[in-house]
Amino acid sequence: MSDTKSVLPYGSWPSPIEADDAARGDALLEWVGFLGDDVCWTEVLPEEDGRSGLMRRTAEGVEEVLPPGWDVRTRVIEYGGRPWLALSGRAADGLVFTHGPDQRLHRWRPGSDPVPLSPPGAWPGELRYADFAVHGDEIWCLRETVADDTARTARRHLVAIPLDGGAAEDPSRVRELAATHHFMTGPRIEPGGDRVAWLGWDHPDMPWDTTRLMVAAVLPDGTLGAPAVRMGGEGEAVTQADWATDGSGTLYAVSDPDGWWNVHAVDRDGGTRSLCPRPEEFGEALWRIGLRWCLPLLDGTLAVIHGVGERRLGILGADGVLTDFADPATEWHFAATDGRRIAAVASSPGRRRTVVLADPADGSVRTVRAPSSEGRSLPSDAPAPAADGAAPYAYATTPYRRTYRGDDGEPVHVHVYPPHHPEFTGPDDELPPYLVLAHGGPTSRSHLVLNQEISYFTSRGIGVVDVQYGGSTGYGRAYRERLRHRWGLTDVQDCATAARGLIAEGLADPDRIAIRGGSAGGWTAVASIAAEPGLYRAAAVYYPVLDPVSWREETHDFESRYLDGLIGPWPDTADRYAHQSPLREADRIRTPFVLLQGLDDTVCPPAQAERLLQRIDPDTVPYRCLTFEGEGHGFRRSATVAASLRAELRLYADALGFTPAASSCSPS
C-alpha cells in the first residue's frame, strides 16, 4: 500500500465497513461466569432475532452450552440482570438460568434438556428472576412480579426456589424471604450461610442516588431474621456488596460517602473503613441487577475495576496497595471469578469487546472469545487482534480524550473520533463534518473503545465526538449531580460546548455539524436542534423520551420516578417540566432528522415519538420515521441496526452536503 493517500471529499470515502458489517461486527458479549473450569458468557445473536445464547470455548472453538433455542436473558427492571449461575465448581452439576420468552427459572444438567424450577406466571413474563445464589437445596434470588407487559406496576421479593423442581407445579413451594424495599438486588450469602446481604432503595431515589446495604441472619429453618442497615442512606449509594472469602465475616461494599465509589470493609459490628480512598470510581451506576466491580479472591485480595472516565483491572492487597494488570484494555465489564482467576469482557481503543481470562498468579490476560467471528477458532491463549491489523482494524480511527470548558467554566469531557481511512484523506481546504453523539442514560457513560458503528462513519470521512455531558458517570458524584433538575439544559449546553470546541480548534466544519442519540440521548438530540438551530444541520433520534409529563405515566416502574431527580418532583415543579421538555419548541424545529423507533419499547414507548411528529410540519422539516416490529429499547436485530445506519448516512449526506461512495446508503 502506498504511503500517499488519495484525496476525496470528506463523507465520500469508500469504506469496506458497510451497515451490515457494523450491525453484526460488535458482538454483544455479557454476563461472564465460570462453569467448572470453563469461562462462559451470554452472547446476543442478531441473526436469531436477538436471542441470547450461553457460550463457552472448547478445544474445537466456541459453542453453545445449552441445547439449541434457549434464550438466557432476564427482563428484571427492563434493563435486565445476571441471568445464570453455575450450581457449583463442578461442571457436572450444571446451572440455573432465566429463559427469555417465559422468564421462568430453569435448571440444566449436561446431557439433558433444561427443566423449569419456577411456576409459570398468569401470563408469559409476569414473574421474572435474576441474580442467583445457592443455599442448600434452594436457589435464592430476586423475583419481580409485574402487572402486565408494560411493567408500569411491579413488586419485588427475595425468594427461595427448591432445586428439585417441585415449585414448577406448586407455587406454594416458593418461599418469600424479604421485601425490604421497592427495589432490591439479589442476595449475597455469607460463606457458611449464616448471613445474607442485599441492596435496597425506594422511589423516588434511583440506585445512584441513595441505597441501603441490608444484612439479615439466616435462621435454622431457612427464614431470615430482622434485616439491619449496615451502610448507605440519604445521599449515599452503595452499588455492590460481596462477602470476604476467608470466613472473617467482613462484607465489602462499593459506596460513595466521599463522592466517589470506593471499596469499603464493613465489619461484623457495623464499623466501616475505606480500603483504597482515592478520587476514582470503583463501581458504576446500577442499571442492571447483579453487576460487580469488586471481586473477593480466595487469597484475601480483591480484584477491582477502577478509574476516571475509563476502567482498569487491578488487584487490591490487604495492605491497600493497588496493582493493575499490564493489559491495554481500558474498559472491563461483567466481571466474575472462580476465586483464583477473573473473567470479564474487555475492550480498548484498539480492541473491540473480547472475553478474557486474567490470572493474578502470573499477570497474564488471555483471550477466550475474540472480538470477531473470524476469531472463534483461535486457541484460548491467543492475543487479541492488534489495532493496526487487517480490516476492519485498519479502518478504525485512533480516538482520544479531550476536556472543554463551558461558558460557566465547568469541564465537559468528550471522546473524539477523527475521520480516518488508510487510503484516503480530505482536501486541504476542507474541514470534515462531525457528529455529536449524546449517550443514553442519562446517568450513564460511553466508552472510548473500538466501535464498529463509529467506524462506519469515521471510515467515510465523518468525525464523531462522544460527549460525556454533566450527569455522566465515571467522574464522581459531583459531576453526576450537575444534571440534577437540569435535564434538557446542562446536557444540551455541554453538547454544544463540545461542538464549538472542535470548531474553535479548526477540527470540524462549523456548517456541517449533526447530532445523534438514543433514549435519553434522543431527548438531548431533539432538545439540541430546538435550542441550537444554527449549530446542528441534522439529527438522528433513536427511541427517545420527549414528553416528560406523559412519560412518567407511560414508562416502566424502574424509571417512573427518575424525573424527580432529573427535573423535579411532580407536580410541584410542573413549570420545569414544561420549560425543559424538548417538545416545548418542537414546532420551531427546522433541522432535518430521522426518527427510529421499536414498536415493542416499554421504556420509551412509541407514543413519545408520535408526540414529536404531531408537532412537526413535514412541508417545512424534512424527516423520516422508521419503526420496527419486535424491537424494544435498544435494537437487537442486525437488520434493524443496518437499516438505521443506512438511513442516518442518507440524512447526513443530504443535510451536510456530501456524496457517499456507491452502495453506502442502499438498500433503503
Side-chain angles (χ1 to χ4, degrees):
M1 182 182 297
S2 172
D3 291 335
T4 302
K5 294 186 177 184
S6 301
V7 176
L8 280 178
Y10 290 106
S12 65
W13 301 346
S15 171
I17 305 175
E18 296 293 350
D20 291 326
D21 302 316
R24 62 175 175 260
D26 282 347
L28 186 52
L29 313 171
E30 301 182 323
W31 301 118
V32 180
F34 288 86
L35 180 63
D37 289 331
D38 290 338
V39 177
C40 301
W41 64 93
T42 61
E43 181 168 338
V44 173
L45 306 172
E47 68 277 8
E48 297 187 37
D49 290 337
R51 179 173 71 86
S52 186
L54 183 63
M55 319 300 285
R56 67 180 167 191
R57 174 172 291 286
T58 68
E60 289 73 36
V62 171
E63 67 174 19
E64 284 204 56
V65 175
L66 302 175
W70 290 92
D71 187 358
V72 183
R73 177 161 52 105
T74 175
R75 291 181 58 194
V76 161
I77 68 166
E78 297 308 300
Y79 291 104
R82 185 165 289 277
W84 73 277
L85 176 74
L87 289 175
S88 73
R90 300 188 316 123
D93 291 333
L95 55 88
V96 295
F97 70 96
T98 296
H99 179 48
D102 62 14
Q103 291 294 291
R104 294 177 73 182
L105 180 63
H106 289 73
R107 178 175 184 174
W108 171 81
R109 294 181 176 91
S112 65
D113 288 328
V115 296
L117 296 183
S118 66
W123 51 275
E126 178 202 19
L127 303 174
R128 306 167 176 185
Y129 303 88
D131 207 11
F132 310 106
V134 179
H135 187 267
D137 57 1
E138 294 178 318
I139 291 295
W140 288 17
C141 63
L142 174 68
R143 183 189 68 192
E144 180 178 72
T145 306
V146 297
D148 54 42
D149 59 5
T150 67
R152 293 172 194 161
T153 302
R155 294 177 290 113
R156 294 165 190 89
H157 297 81
L158 299 186
V159 298
I161 300 174
L163 275 166
D164 64 10
E169 301 297 334
D170 182 4
S172 68
R173 292 198 60 192
V174 178
R175 298 192 302 117
E176 293 184 355
L177 299 170
T180 56
H181 295 80
H182 190 60
F183 298 97
M184 296 184 292
T185 64
R188 296 288 180 268
I189 302 172
E190 183 181 13
D194 292 337
R195 292 183 295 169
V196 62
W198 65 93
L199 306 182
W201 68 96
D202 293 307
H203 281 145
D205 288 316
M206 297 299 284
W208 42 86
D209 296 324
T210 292
T211 64
R212 289 171 172 83
L213 171 57
M214 311 300 298
V215 176
V218 180
L219 304 180
D221 63 357
T223 60
L224 301 187
V229 178
R230 285 289 178 258
M231 197 172 185
E234 190 64 34
E236 179 182 347
V238 186
T239 197
Q240 186 207 329
D242 266 292
W243 296 96
T245 59
D246 60 5
S248 65
T250 298
L251 184 58
Y252 296 114
V254 180
S255 191
D256 66 345
D258 299 319
W260 295 86
W261 275 314
N262 282 186
V263 182
H264 298 76
V266 184
D267 300 326
R268 278 189 176 275
D269 61 5
T272 63
R273 53 193 169 88
S274 183
L275 300 183
C276 187
R278 57 172 67 185
E280 292 187 20
E281 302 281 40
F282 287 73
E284 299 274 5
L286 194 60
W287 278 101
R288 305 176 80 178
I289 302 298
L291 289 171
R292 301 171 75 195
W293 304 273
C294 173
L295 308 175
L297 304 180
L298 291 173
D299 64 1
T301 63
L302 297 172
V304 293
I305 296 171
H306 69 102
V308 179
E310 66 175 16
R311 294 293 180 269
R312 302 280 180 175
L313 176 65
I315 301 297
L316 179 59
D319 57 1
V321 174
L322 178 58
T323 305
D324 287 342
F325 279 79
D327 186 87
T330 54
E331 295 291 346
W332 296 77
H333 314 276
F334 303 104
T337 184
D338 63 357
R340 297 178 296 108
R341 304 168 297 168
I342 304 100
V345 177
S347 54
S348 73
R351 179 170 62 188
R352 288 183 284 158
R353 287 185 291 261
T354 306
V355 179
V356 300
L357 181 63
D359 190 341
D362 59 12
S364 64
V365 178
R366 298 185 299 160
T367 296
V368 177
R369 198 286 195 203
S372 63
S373 58
E374 295 92 327
R376 288 197 175 202
S377 61
L378 288 175
S380 61
D381 60 352
D388 57 356
Y393 297 97
Y395 294 86
T397 188
T398 300
Y400 59 91
R401 302 179 193 279
R402 186 78 167 84
T403 299
Y404 294 108
R405 293 280 173 178
D407 292 340
D408 56 3
E410 292 284 354
V412 180
H413 306 295
V414 305
H415 305 156
V416 182
Y417 294 80
H420 167 75
H421 195 294
E423 300 173 29
F424 294 96
T425 188
D428 290 340
D429 61 350
E430 181 182 341
L431 290 173
Y434 256 83
L435 310 181
V436 175
L437 175 56
H439 64 70
T443 312
S444 183
R445 68 184 181 97
S446 47
H447 309 128
L448 188 73
V449 299
L450 189 59
N451 180 301
Q452 278 285 73
E453 280 196 22
I454 289 178
S455 294
Y456 175 74
F457 295 110
T458 57
S459 63
R460 286 168 166 78
I462 306 165
V464 176
V465 57
D466 191 355
V467 185
Q468 312 304 298
Y469 48 81
S472 299
T473 57
Y475 305 93
R477 180 180 280 264
Y479 196 78
R480 294 202 310 273
E481 293 288 329
R482 284 188 57 221
L483 199 62
R484 179 166 291 275
H485 297 164
R486 289 186 53 80
W487 193 33
L489 302 175
T490 295
D491 48 324
V492 170
Q493 292 166 3
D494 286 1
C495 285
T497 293
R500 292 192 169 100
L502 288 171
I503 292 168
E505 290 185 298
L507 300 176
D509 186 337
D511 295 323
R512 295 197 290 175
I513 304 292
I515 189 167
R516 70 190 300 256
S519 187
W523 159 291
T524 302
V526 174
S528 292
I529 61 176
E532 297 274 5
L535 179 61
Y536 301 107
R537 303 305 170 95
V541 182
Y542 284 76
Y543 34 83
V545 52
L546 296 171
D547 179 6
V549 176
S550 65
W551 186 73
R552 294 179 68 261
E553 303 299 329
E554 294 172 348
T555 194
H556 61 133
D557 179 56
F558 175 62
E559 291 185 273
S560 62
R561 298 292 300 276
Y562 193 7
L563 298 185
D564 284 45
L566 292 175
I567 300 177
W570 177 267
D572 297 345
T573 57
D575 56 333
R576 288 190 208 152
Y577 282 73
H579 177 69
Q580 293 172 216
S581 168
L583 297 182
R584 180 172 67 98
E585 295 183 342
D587 55 353
R588 298 176 56 187
I589 290 175
R590 296 295 180 267
T591 303
F593 64 89
V594 59
L595 197 154
L596 308 121
Q597 178 71 48
L599 295 179
D600 294 346
D601 194 337
T602 58
V603 177
C604 294
Q608 289 286 307
E610 292 165 4
R611 290 189 180 94
L612 171 65
L613 300 183
Q614 290 168 0
R615 301 185 181 211
I616 299 297
D617 181 356
D619 294 329
T620 304
V621 183
Y623 74 83
R624 294 181 69 197
C625 179
L626 302 182
T627 58
F628 301 96
E629 294 276 0
E631 290 284 14
H633 198 66
F635 297 155
R636 298 173 66 90
R637 298 173 179 172
S638 56
T640 303
V641 176
S644 300
L645 288 173
R646 284 191 289 263
E648 272 197 75
L649 185 59
R650 177 182 295 180
L651 167 70
Y652 301 145
D654 292 342
L656 305 183
F658 59 82
T659 302
S663 82
S664 292
C665 293
S666 59
S668 60

